[in-house]
Amino acid sequence: MTESAGTVTTLKEFVTFLREGTIAVVLLLFLLLPGVMKSVLAKAGFTSADIAGFKWELQQSAQQTQAATDTVTQLEDKLSALKQQLDQVSQSAAAPDVKQKIMTLSDEVGKTRAETSAVQTTLRDSLATQRSIIRKVDPALLEQKPPKP
């Protein structure tokens, strides 16, 4: 029994040695070869982390939010111009039923514009939050441009 207890203890110590050694090797790889480790982890399905340069997706997400914000701004401008045109046409329309249809369309454009304004506010809040997180994680990312796909 003492021999088997000694063997079990030796096996436990060996497994502990292997585990600690593996952890040390992985940490060294992260320090010495961060690019290689990043690609290995990306292939394994890890797409974001706060280790060895894995902050890129935060910037990409913020840039996509900025692009969506810019698009909504353009849509708001177009809707505003369309509403003005409808109001002008409504004033010059002679037939009451045509005038009413134009006013209804103008009201719908106004409602859509209000909805886009709400979306714009949400996008701006989201972008501010993303930029705040990036500033905390790595402020230099705000200055970098993403790689071309």
Side-chain angles (χ1 to χ4, degrees):
M1 269 224 188
T2 52
E3 268 185 55
S4 101
T7 305
V8 169
T9 303
T10 304
L11 281 173
K12 283 183 181 180
E13 289 175 0
F14 180 71
V15 169
T16 301
F17 171 76
L18 284 178
R19 184 185 68 211
E20 298 296 325
T22 303
I23 291 171
V25 168
V26 169
L27 288 175
L28 279 174
L29 286 173
F30 271 114
L31 291 173
L32 299 174
L33 304 168
V36 172
M37 292 302 290
K38 178 179 175 181
S39 66
V40 168
L41 289 173
K43 287 178 185 175
F46 294 94
T47 58
S48 63
D50 189 17
I51 303 170
F54 266 94
K55 300 166 196 157
W56 194 258
E57 289 193 19
L58 291 173
Q59 180 193 21
Q60 184 179 9
S61 177
Q63 288 173 339
Q64 289 171 345
T65 303
Q66 180 63 54
T69 301
D70 294 344
T71 301
V72 171
T73 299
Q74 292 171 357
L75 290 173
E76 281 183 317
D77 293 345
K78 288 179 183 177
L79 287 170
S80 179
L82 182 60
K83 183 165 177 21
Q84 287 176 349
Q85 290 174 358
L86 285 171
D87 289 344
Q88 288 173 356
V89 170
S90 173
Q91 290 173 357
S92 64
D97 60 331
V98 172
K99 195 172 194 171
Q100 182 58 39
K101 285 181 183 179
I102 293 172
M103 290 300 287
T104 302
L105 286 173
S106 180
D107 289 344
E108 285 298 315
V109 169
K111 289 177 187 175
T112 304
R113 208 169 144 231
E115 291 170 4
T116 58
S117 181
V119 169
Q120 179 77 314
T121 300
T122 302
L123 284 171
R124 284 184 181 147
D125 291 346
S126 176
L127 183 60
T129 301
Q130 290 170 349
R131 287 183 175 160
S132 173
I133 291 169
I134 290 171
R135 268 188 219 96
K136 289 177 184 174
V137 173
D138 188 356
L141 283 178
L142 289 173
E143 305 301 320
Q144 294 177 359
K145 300 218 184 235
K148 301 280 181 185

